[in-house]
Amino acid sequence: MSDIFSTVGKKPSLSKSVESQIEDAIRVRAFKPGDRLPTEQEMCAQFGVSRTVVREAARMLHAKGLISIEKGRGMFVRSVSGESAAAPMNRYLQMHFERSYVMDVVRARQILEPAIAELAAKNRTDDDLNRLAADIDALRQAEADQRELSDLDTQFHIDLARASGNSLMPLLLDPIHRLLPEIKTSIYAAVDDAKESAVQWHSEIFEAVRSGSAVAARAAMVEHLKIAEAHAERMLRRQPKTSPVS
Amino acid sequence: MSDIFSTVGKKPSLSKSVESQIEDAIRVRAFKPGDRLPTEQEMCAQFGVSRTVVREAARMLHAKGLISIEKGRGMFVRSVSGESAAAPMNRYLQMHFERSYVMDVVRARQILEPAIAELAAKNRTDDDLNRLAADIDALRQAEADQRELSDLDTQFHIDLARASGNSLMPLLLDPIHRLLPEIKTSIYAAVDDAKESAVQWHSEIFEAVRSGSAVAARAAMVEHLKIAEAHAERMLRRQPKTSPVS
DNA sequence: GTGGAAAAGATGTCTGACATCTTACCTGGC
DNA sequence: GCCAGGTAAGATGTCAGACATCTTTTCCAC
């Protein structure tokens, strides 16, 4: 966006330039996750700039989550996780969303996840099936706090997205599911049989995916999400005035 | 692990601390978007730290997209856009994706966008219609480089997502559309009538949305994306070995 | 009143120094 | 010979001052 303007009339600052060069080096895997970057002084010599410039470039890369800086040790390339990539999006949503977002989240799931279930039935591997089965078992045996139940519930859906074979799906689903986890925990707290319902429907989806039945997988997911919608509505009626804590 | 150790063993650096304080001030709207922040020297005095610390804190906030820094003018609070929130996600995708992602992107659009068109037909406001009409006109009259055509094309789809009334949709669609813009420009370069096709189908979708026909809007979008899929396949056949530049 | 030059104020960069943290080495005692 | 502890080396963190460059304002001359 601002790239166009920066080429015309604007001279990118040295720190920006250095930052881009390091970022590119990380991008093309010249430095792999976990690797230690050259020291500040080495970079100063290599780029022919002062320590100030190198440090400010490093701070920007650190803020972007690409590197970690440890005092006395050095700078290290971070393995960018999907979760950390989704974190700024979550921040943004938490700052901008109104109360209605709860139903927006539900509707977004109703758009994405039936298609995901369908794709998973067609493309799932044996590894995917093992992961999904483990997710269901973990949820079935869990008796812990609602937060853990919520996380286990989420894990099944993320792994299902992974099984879809479309590498975008887990990334699109992740911010949706991690949006205000307290919402999901609220549901698990407000709805008594939420866990049993989840286990049941997850199992049904799993069976359809295992047998390769795309139609059944989609149908099961649609039903699962209808119930999730009802749960969300019930939770909203109980807590009509959820004010952001922050 | 334990709180005691974390308080003892973790001493956040000064620049981190200053960054957090400024970020909090922005979050609680002590500084509103567009406002000018105090100058470096004023902050130095206020926080009792050196210019180095303030500058590095500012660089981090800049990298996070919360402020903009203009040489000779000052630092300004940016209105956090969905785009900047999606930027880390885009980086992540660009770093992790294989060549197959091109078709993954197309498939993801085929899942999301028909539903978006349907919702837009139901929920669009007059403002939405004005924006969409302007987008189509801009694309129709554009004769510029392929990059601009690609951007204008994208804008229509983002605005359509906005018109859906589901605040998650623009945010989910943004990373998809901005994924490697060169792919879209490649399509505009490889396919002669790509622009005319886009204008035609955008207009058809617009008409359906304007008249409030959800079924027609979905159908038009499905057709539009079928053609987009064909374009992508043609582009892939022409450039069977797209190697990352730089 | 207008135009342009100069001044003021802001960020960008450089330099050198010292502080603090981590690691490795090296030495002393057992 | 081995282990413990201190010490030194190397890395990032912070400070201070200076100058460069860009933007805006001021003010003087025409």
Side-chain angles (χ1 to χ4, degrees), chain B residues 47-178:
Chain B
F47 291 112
V49 296
S50 73
R51 227 185 119 202
T52 308
V53 170
V54 171
R55 282 187 58 78
E56 292 190 353
R59 289 311 221 194
M60 291 190 279
L61 291 170
H62 175 62
K64 284 186 180 177
L66 272 77
I67 69 172
S68 66
I69 306 179
E70 301 178 31
K71 180 171 181 177
R73 298 193 61 219
M75 303 182 286
F76 301 85
V77 177
R78 280 185 47 170
S79 56
V80 181
S81 63
E83 181 183 347
S84 72
M89 174 81 66
N90 294 350
R91 244 198 322 273
Y92 174 79
L93 292 173
Q94 291 188 17
M95 288 183 64
H96 284 74
F97 267 33
E98 306 297 327
R99 190 172 125 71
S100 59
Y101 77 85
V102 176
M103 295 317 288
D104 282 351
V105 168
V106 174
R107 301 272 151 66
R109 292 184 62 189
Q110 289 173 335
I111 292 173
L112 270 181
E113 300 213 49
I116 287 176
E118 199 174 331
L119 285 172
K122 295 175 185 167
N123 301 326
R124 89 289 185 284
T125 67
D126 288 345
D127 282 345
D128 289 325
L129 292 178
N130 290 336
R131 263 193 297 273
L132 292 171
D135 291 338
I136 295 176
D137 274 345
L139 182 59
R140 180 183 292 120
Q141 291 171 7
E143 304 177 5
D145 57 328
Q146 290 131 7
R147 171 59 185 266
E148 186 180 344
L149 291 176
S150 163
D151 285 346
L152 291 172
D153 185 332
T154 293
Q155 193 58 45
F156 175 83
H157 289 272
I158 296 289
D159 282 334
L160 191 69
R162 192 170 163 188
S164 73
N166 186 324
S167 23
L168 268 167
M169 290 303 142
L171 298 170
L172 292 177
L173 209 57
D174 190 86
I176 294 179
H177 272 275
R178 297 195 190 281

Side-chain angles (χ1 to χ4, degrees), chain B residues 159-223:
Chain B
D159 282 334
L160 191 69
R162 192 170 163 188
S164 73
N166 186 324
S167 23
L168 268 167
M169 290 303 142
L171 298 170
L172 292 177
L173 209 57
D174 190 86
I176 294 179
H177 272 275
R178 297 195 190 281
L179 242 186
L180 294 202
E182 58 265 30
I183 291 302
K184 299 190 74 172
T185 59
S186 296
I187 291 177
Y188 270 97
V191 181
D192 287 338
D193 63 342
K195 177 189 152 186
E196 284 68 27
S197 168
V199 169
Q200 176 198 336
W201 283 104
H202 286 191
S203 301
E204 205 141 328
I205 294 166
F206 173 78
E207 275 308 317
V209 166
R210 189 169 65 86
S211 66
S213 167
V215 175
R218 167 182 279 273
M221 180 62 85
V222 167
E223 285 305 311

Side-chain angles (χ1 to χ4, degrees), chain B residues 6-24:
Chain B
S6 63
T7 52
V8 173
K10 284 209 173 187
K11 186 166 21 176
S13 67
L14 279 180
S15 49
K16 270 282 185 198
S17 166
V18 169
E19 183 215 359
S20 298
Q21 293 190 53
I22 302 175
E23 181 172 342
D24 287 343

